[in-house]
Amino acid sequence: MSVEPFNRLVKLAARAFYDDITTKGDNQPKTGRSDNRGIAVVVLDALTRRQWVREEDLAKDLKLHSKQLRRTLRFFEEEKLITRDHRKETAKGAKIYSAAVAATAEGQRNAKEGEEKIKLHTHSYCCLDYAQIYDVVRYRLHRLRKKLKDELENKNTVQEYICPNCGRRYNALDALRLVSPDDEYFHCENCNGELVAESDKLAAQEGGDGDDNARRRRREKLKDMLQKMEVQLKPLMDQLNRVKDLAVPEFGSLQAWEARASVAGRAVNGDSSSNDPSKSSQGLGYGRTPMTFIGETKVKFVLLIYDSASTSDCTVEVAFSGIEGKEEDVKSQTGSSGLKVLPPWMIKQGMNLTKEQRGEVKQESKMDGISAAEFSHEKKSTSDDVDNKSLQDEYVKAYYAALLKKQQELEEAAKNQELLQVSNSNAVPESVSNRQVGMKSKREEDEGEDDVEWEEAPTGGNSGESYKVNDLNVEAEASGEEEDDIDWEEG
Amino acid sequence: MFFHIVLERNMQLHPRYFGRNLRENLVSKLMKDVEGTCSGRHGFVVAITGIENIGKGLIRDGTGFVTFPVKYQCVVFRPFKGEILEAVVTMVNKMGFFAEAGPVQIFVSNHLIPDDMEFQSGDMPNYTTSDGSVKIQKDCEVRLKIIGTRVDATEIFCIGTIKDDFLGVINDPATA
């Protein structure tokens, strides 16, 4: 029961059909902000990474207002893409769910959810209904194609007739009056001339050519549209064909799912914790709780810039181990969850998020600068437990730091080449040393600077990777990102 | 589509029918007048199934005729766009063919006949597929879809298509 092809189907369908869906009733005054097209795609994508999910949690994860999310979800429910379940529940009921979530996704959440005080509220849960999605998409495609073809073949149009003599027009509804007893043609009521069907070109040109031109143009347009549709929806149709013979992932109703997940989770949790408790307890929050994760990252990261600035070799190593750790995480996740086998796209998704995080981190470092770093230093020393828990997180962060450093290095190198006009052989070491000295001053400059340079960051980061490092892991990530890009464009 | 509805009509009855059988006379006259007629609003009146009530008669000045408002239940038939009907072919010509579904006349133009059917003229004009397996000629039964209706005050005319899935000849008495 592989979810991946179905998820791909959902993603393609989302981009094909729900790309420009806006949910109305947004009371934000600015038109720019209230333009929430694409929300539908984001929500669907998020749902592909989850099974049953509480809508509030989903809203939190997506940083959406729960009302807005609910509106979108209601729309999808009407579109028959998702199933929803509403129930009144106490804290205990919520725990069942969170236990199930913990079993399928991660351990981190478990504790949090347990602490939350949940009163008797109605909670809504939603889940993709893959079987139905498959049918819905197929039906939609069928309707699209049928409609265009019908139009194209004049299937449901009323035939028109013209009298070539007097130019009088009739349509098929007049047929009864037009039949003549003598022969098998229609005859004009006026002049008794033989009528010709309008689509016969010769006659049509004699009759009214402007109208016919319009008709022909319309025909061309339709044909064009049909062709475009075939081309543009090809990936979707291919995916439909691929999925056709696969078993549809079925999560069942919320209750059934919870029961199954918690049973499976109990068994698996025992396993994984005995194997490697540190792994199962941390790091797996990428998919579900990026917010808290990011918060920690922000604090630590600024610190690590300075570490990395002083000892470049060391940080590069750390960065690699960070990557390895991350992959291991994913693997362990895959291995440990008996019910939900996490397919390879999970890795991709993790990278997506790290990309986001990178963006966040950079903004943060720009804003806070040194004072934040010092502050975080203190904070770090006081909060040991956080440290222990996210030891591996730090690896990842160190990796970001290394990335950033490399990027800066690259910029620096470019600057040096411009300014100093140093010969190529000297340029590299020169730039490195310069960077280390110039690091701080640049940092301070950056405080005042506007966003432009920082928004270039992703491309700079990527090129930095390929520029400096020839490590397999890093290349793998770069290629993963490319793959991801392609994926998005395809939609 | 068929409907069972209640209609009302003012019946004028000649004084010679007055007597014991006034009611029966009234009903039989109503049937003669109404059944088989067509109103644009309700469609064809197929049959009267019952009399709801007969109001008080009103004597017309000068003529002696009496007008009774009669409420009656009847079955009406009204074709709709998109409806699938079974019809009997009545005439085939180069422009297409005509068919009847009860009282309704339907014209199917040659553009709305599948492309693989060719017109064959002759004694018995017909549309035939290239392999000759399907033949549309007079008196055969076709299933068709109505794609347009013209509703006048007193007549309804339809155009249909057999260019769609599951449409076409369903029974041919000539070959059966």
Side-chain angles (χ1 to χ4, degrees), chain B residues 25-173:
Chain B
N25 285 328
L26 198 62
V27 171
S28 63
K29 186 172 179 345
L30 178 74
M31 286 181 165
K32 213 170 82 190
D33 281 3
V34 166
E35 281 183 359
T37 62
C38 171
S39 79
R41 190 178 162 80
H42 299 106
F44 294 93
V45 178
V46 176
I48 291 170
T49 56
I51 305 294
E52 199 106 302
N53 89 71
I54 298 173
K56 277 185 179 162
L58 206 73
I59 301 171
R60 307 298 263 171
D61 288 342
T63 60
F65 275 82
V66 174
T67 309
F68 293 95
V70 182
K71 275 188 175 173
Y72 57 98
Q73 303 162 335
C74 60
V75 175
V76 294
F77 172 66
R78 192 184 190 289
F80 288 93
K81 206 169 154 180
E83 190 177 347
I84 309 283
L85 282 181
E86 287 166 16
V88 179
V89 176
T90 54
M91 179 169 66
V92 178
N93 66 25
K94 200 172 166 55
M95 311 307 284
F97 66 82
F98 288 86
E100 278 178 355
V104 183
Q105 291 248 30
I106 302 151
F107 173 63
V108 179
S109 87
N110 52 10
H111 290 262
L112 299 173
I113 296 171
D115 296 326
D116 60 337
M117 298 192 88
E118 290 273 321
F119 178 68
Q120 319 277 329
S121 56
D123 191 23
M124 197 72 164
N126 60 68
Y127 283 88
T128 318
T129 52
S130 50
D131 61 349
S133 61
V134 181
K135 190 182 263 186
I136 295 174
Q137 59 190 4
K138 193 172 183 296
D139 291 332
C140 70
E141 292 165 28
V142 291
R143 181 168 294 144
L144 47 81
K145 186 164 94 177
I146 292 174
I147 58 168
T149 57
R150 157 167 296 178
V151 180
D152 295 336
T154 56
E155 82 172 348
I156 295 179
F157 183 70
C158 301
I159 51 178
T161 176
I162 55 169
K163 210 180 194 179
D164 211 339
D165 298 338
F166 308 108
L167 300 183
V169 178
I170 48 175
N171 181 25
D172 191 351

Side-chain angles (χ1 to χ4, degrees), chain A residues 11 38 63 68 124 159 176 182 192 200 248 262 397 409 422-423 462 467:
Chain A
K11 286 176 181 174
K63 298 184 180 177
Q68 201 184 3
S124 303
Q159 184 63 44
L176 208 56
D182 336 314
N192 205 30
D200 293 355
V248 182
S262 56
K397 285 160 216 158
E409 212 172 306
V422 190
S423 68
N462 276 342
Y467 157 70

